[in-house]
Amino acid sequence: GRTLVRIDRWFPSSKLCSACGTAAESMPLHVRSWSCLCGAAHDRDINAAKNILAAGRADRLNACGGRVRPSIAVAQADETGSHRGAA
């Protein structure tokens, strides 16, 4: 009942502000918490987890919770519109 979504290996999850989306220029690994210019304070690991979850959901759902890539619907025979091979 789960969906596995891959995100880019180089996605800047820990240095991307999960509140406003601003990316920090550089962040050494010893920095465990940081504050964004928007005022949000982040724990590096929790912030990364939020960004990874959001990236995975963005691939599957739109802002209203609907699927981004709806299944292909087959047109009914009595519907008007373009017909295959009409061009």
Side-chain angles (χ1 to χ4, degrees), residues 9-84:
R9 176 181 181 179
W10 303 110
F11 178 68
S13 60
S14 61
K15 63 181 187 176
L16 185 67
C17 177
S18 60
C20 73
T22 302
E25 287 294 321
S26 65
M27 189 177 304
L29 289 175
H30 72 273
V31 176
R32 303 314 304 160
S33 61
W34 59 282
S35 296
C36 180
L37 295 175
C38 74
H42 299 290
D43 173 275
R44 186 178 182 133
D45 296 331
I46 294 172
N47 183 60
K50 288 178 183 178
N51 286 327
I52 290 169
L53 179 63
R57 285 183 172 166
D59 190 50
R60 295 184 306 124
L61 304 175
N62 66 18
C64 298
R67 297 195 64 75
V68 174
R69 295 178 184 91
S71 58
I72 298 171
V74 178
Q76 300 297 321
D78 59 344
E79 288 185 22
T80 59
S82 299
H83 298 283
R84 290 186 186 197

